[in-house]
């Protein structure tokens, strides 16, 4: 056997080992990667709750294993024009009633109260459209089974922020001791009753679309 033949055999052997190692690593990473499988409601509701406007988002866990030590962050992004005529994006953090939960299972609600301290206190559907508002919700937690971090994020444009509507209830109490969870209503919206401070009521036909 010549030196050239020996060299080719060595190169082939080394290349085979490297390719096998790379393929094994790629397959391992592909199947060991944790997918968030967090479900977000299609449209966000803005409606009165106890007489005070609230922005409400529903989030669910589509994994078999619960997600633990979960934290949430909600941000409102709007386009503004400065006095100098410069157009820029401004991010405003929205305070949540509960920004953490020990466990995320089937469904939970995130609420931002539109009180005098809220960045949304002076907003209307028209100001949202004019500023091309976008809502962003980020979720972070830990998979209970694998103990790997889980991340998810969802964006809604102002067109999917529905004024004068509330999220339909997914939990129904059939008897004093029985509760039914109906996730088929996860994305459903219902019109809310207007108040003197919140004169908006969504069109039922629009909510069905």
């Amino acid at each position: 056997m010549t030196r050239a033949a020996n060299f080719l055999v060595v190169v082939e052997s080394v290349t085979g080992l490297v390719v096998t190692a790379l393929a094994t690593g790629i397959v391992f990473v592909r199947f060991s990667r944790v997918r968030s499988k967090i479900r977000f409601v299609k449209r966000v509701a803005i409606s009165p709750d106890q007489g005070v406007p609230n922005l409400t988002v529903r989030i669910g866990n589509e994994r078999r294993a619960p997600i633990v030590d979960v934290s949430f962050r909600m941000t409102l992004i709007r386009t503004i024009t400065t006095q100098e005529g410069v157009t820029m994006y401004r991010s405003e953090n929205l305070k949540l009633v509960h920004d953490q939960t020990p466990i995320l299972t089937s469904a939970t609600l995130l609420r931002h109260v539109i009180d005098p301290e809220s960045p949304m206190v002076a907003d209307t559907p028209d100001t949202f459209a004019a500023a091309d508002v976008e809502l962003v919700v980020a979720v972070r937690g830990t998979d209970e089974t694998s103990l790997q971090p889980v991340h998810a994020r969802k964006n809604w444009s102002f067109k999917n922020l529905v004024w004068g509507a509330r999220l339909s209830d997914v939990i129904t109490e059939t008897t004093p001791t029985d509760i039914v969870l109906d996730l088929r209503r996860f994305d459903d919206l219902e019109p809310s009753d207007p108040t003197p401070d919140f004169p908006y009521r969504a069109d039922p036909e629009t909510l069905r679309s």
Side-chain angles (χ1 to χ4, degrees):
M1 184 177 291
T2 64
R3 291 184 178 180
N6 291 333
F7 178 76
L8 289 176
V9 171
V10 171
V11 170
E12 183 180 1
S13 300
V14 173
T15 303
L17 291 174
V18 172
V19 171
T20 301
L22 289 175
T24 302
I26 292 172
V27 171
F28 178 79
V29 171
R30 174 66 179 82
F31 287 98
S32 65
R33 180 182 177 184
V34 175
R35 296 184 179 181
S36 62
K37 291 186 179 180
I38 293 178
R39 180 178 178 181
F40 294 90
V41 73
K42 294 180 179 178
R43 291 180 291 179
V44 177
I46 306 176
S47 61
D49 185 1
Q50 300 295 326
V52 181
N54 281 243
L55 183 149
T56 310
V57 175
R58 179 177 284 140
I59 297 177
N61 176 21
E62 295 183 322
R63 301 174 57 81
R64 293 183 178 179
I67 301 174
V68 299
D69 193 20
V70 187
S71 61
F72 309 99
R73 185 174 182 180
M74 184 179 291
T75 306
L76 192 75
I77 303 174
R78 67 176 80 222
T79 304
I80 65 170
T81 303
T82 65
Q83 295 181 355
E84 294 74 23
V86 179
T87 301
M88 59 184 299
Y89 296 101
R90 172 172 293 176
S91 299
E92 300 166 315
N93 292 327
L94 301 183
K95 182 179 179 181
L96 296 171
V97 176
H98 299 290
D99 60 3
Q100 292 183 330
T101 183
I103 186 169
L104 178 61
T105 53
S106 299
T108 190
L109 291 178
L110 304 182
R111 289 194 302 119
H112 168 69
V113 180
I114 308 176
D115 56 18
E117 298 181 356
S118 169
M120 293 176 54
V121 65
D123 277 313
T124 66
D126 292 336
T127 62
F128 265 31
D132 196 18
V133 163
E134 182 178 2
L135 181 71
V136 181
V137 171
V139 183
R140 181 176 60 185
T142 302
D143 179 78
E144 187 179 55
T145 302
S146 66
L147 299 181
Q148 294 189 25
V150 176
H151 304 273
R153 186 186 65 177
K154 173 68 175 178
N155 297 43
W156 295 268
S157 70
F158 71 91
K159 297 178 181 179
N160 292 317
L161 306 181
V162 185
W163 293 72
R166 68 178 187 87
L167 294 172
S168 299
D169 295 330
V170 295
I171 297 178
T172 305
E173 185 175 348
T174 55
T175 68
T177 58
D178 294 330
I179 295 177
V180 176
L181 177 63
D182 186 2
L183 294 180
R184 292 174 300 179
R185 307 182 66 188
F186 189 92
D187 295 308
D188 291 352
L189 293 174
E190 299 175 1
S192 62
D193 295 327
T195 66
D197 296 329
F198 192 86
Y200 308 106
R201 181 181 176 88
D203 183 359
E205 294 296 329
T206 302
L207 300 182
R208 296 191 187 99
S209 60

